[in-house]
Structures are given as C-alpha cells and as structure tokens.
Amino acid sequence: MAAAEPAAASYDDELRRREALREAFGDSSESDSDAPREAASSPLVGRAGRERWRWEAVPGVRGLWLCADFLPSDDQLRLLAAIQREGWFSDASNQGICAHVDLMRFDDGIAIVSLESACVMSFSQECGAYDTQNTQKHGESEWTNVPVYLNPGSLVVLSGDARYHWKHEINRKPGAQLWNGRELEQHRRTSVTLRKLKASPN
C-alpha cells in the first residue's frame, strides 16, 4: 500500500499540470479576460484544498501571463532526462532567439516551459499601442521593451495581444542578459514550447 501512494500522488500531480495547461490554452478570444481560466494574483485552491498555480499578469503586455513555479525540481529533471533520452535536440549552447512573432499557422495561445538556465525574455513593439516608460530608439522608430525573467520550471503564456502584437526574443550576447542590475550567468537553456495548429480550411 505504501508503494502505491507515491504513484498515486505522481499521477495526481500530472493531472493538475495538465489542467494548468488547459487553463493556459483557454479560449481567450471568447472571454472577457485575457487571463488563463481561473488565473488570479493569489494562490488558487482546488477541491482537495491544495495550493495551485500562482499566475501573474506581466505589467505592460496585455495577454502575457507567468507562472514562476509550474514545475518542481524533480519534474524538471525527469522532463530533461526524457528529452535527452529521445535525442530531440542538438547542443546549441548560448544561442538566443531573435525577435519574432510566431507564425500565423498557429492558433492563439502559446505556452513556454523553461528548463536549466534562467534567462530574460524581452517583449517589444513599436510605440503607440501602449504608453509605458520602457522605450528605446531603433533608427527612426521608438520601441517599447518589457523584460520578463524566466526561471527554471516557469511557464509563460502568450495570448491575444502578447501572442499577435508583441515580438519576443532572448538576446544572449554579452551584456544583454541583465536582471535587477546584474548580468545573469549564461548556461545551457532548454525550453518546451506548446502551440496549437489552426484547423485546416479543407
């Protein structure tokens, strides 16, 4: 009986994580809020009385939500082991991600789980849609830039404006990864990105 309890707890945790992803991929276009379903700034408590995920709306970017503690350390290690066992990725250490908006073939709602190294992901758009103080000049244009700290085990969700109207990037050039006035140490980072393909018109 004692051996069955950890297995049951693991299965229960897996169901709760699946539920969190369903919340993250809710139909934001049909909702009055950009938040994942049941998202809140304070911990949510499930029927069993357990603390659930703490969602935070990222200031300045409508439709951008962060759950800093989505995966505990043990689950991060198991996921990494599975990725390495399958040989899905080649070693691409210290490579960043150029500023982009994901292809329109993907539906609204993009979820990114960060593993291994922490990083700063920057969200940017030409000024006009939002009035913030985080502006930078690029040539003749002014851009709004919102940095977001992604720790290992975090889950960030892009929906609505964040998905369609903001570019996101990870600049790993020397001096670019700054958070709270200090430069982050750059190590290998692995991420798992979940997208939904739009239904075929045929």
Side-chain angles (χ1 to χ4, degrees):
M1 187 65 181
E5 290 179 357
S10 177
Y11 179 71
D12 185 52
D13 288 343
E14 175 66 17
L15 290 178
R16 292 192 302 118
R17 278 187 287 277
R18 288 174 181 268
E19 182 182 353
L21 289 175
R22 283 196 297 272
E23 291 175 4
F25 277 86
D27 297 327
S28 61
S29 60
E30 299 177 4
S31 172
D32 292 334
S33 170
D34 286 326
R37 281 199 305 272
E38 301 181 39
S41 58
S42 59
L44 291 170
V45 178
R47 287 186 296 271
R50 296 184 179 182
E51 182 178 290
R52 297 174 67 193
W53 296 272
R54 193 185 293 263
W55 289 102
E56 297 179 6
V58 176
V61 184
R62 183 176 174 84
L64 184 61
W65 292 84
L66 177 66
C67 179
D69 301 313
F70 179 67
L71 281 182
S73 299
D74 289 348
D75 288 336
Q76 293 176 47
L77 292 174
R78 280 193 287 270
L79 180 54
L80 278 170
I83 291 170
Q84 293 165 358
R85 185 168 60 249
E86 295 295 332
W88 289 337
F89 304 126
S90 60
D91 187 5
S93 299
N94 295 324
Q95 290 190 9
I97 302 171
C98 64
H100 71 284
V101 172
D102 282 58
L103 296 174
M104 293 301 110
R105 72 181 64 168
F106 298 113
D107 210 341
D108 190 14
I110 296 170
I112 304 170
V113 178
S114 294
L115 303 169
E116 296 187 277
S117 180
C119 76
V120 175
M121 178 177 283
S122 295
F123 290 79
S124 61
Q125 70 166 196
E126 284 194 80
C127 294
Y130 293 88
D131 183 17
T132 71
Q133 297 179 348
N134 299 320
T135 59
Q136 298 176 347
K137 279 197 172 183
H138 297 276
E140 296 300 319
S141 300
E142 282 194 347
W143 287 72
T144 299
N145 183 68
V146 178
V148 178
Y149 180 77
L150 301 180
N151 57 281
S154 65
L155 169 66
V156 65
V157 175
L158 293 68
S159 63
D161 285 354
R163 185 264 182 269
Y164 291 110
H165 303 307
W166 287 78
K167 294 183 177 182
H168 57 280
E169 70 174 319
I170 298 175
N171 187 346
R172 302 196 75 171
K173 294 179 180 178
Q177 284 288 302
L178 297 174
W179 189 254
N180 288 337
R182 66 180 182 86
E183 185 170 3
L184 301 181
E185 291 187 21
Q186 296 294 285
H187 302 290
R188 187 177 71 173
R189 173 180 177 270
T190 298
S191 67
V192 178
T193 302
L194 304 176
R195 306 179 181 92
K196 297 185 294 185
L197 277 172
K198 288 182 178 179
S200 172
N202 300 324

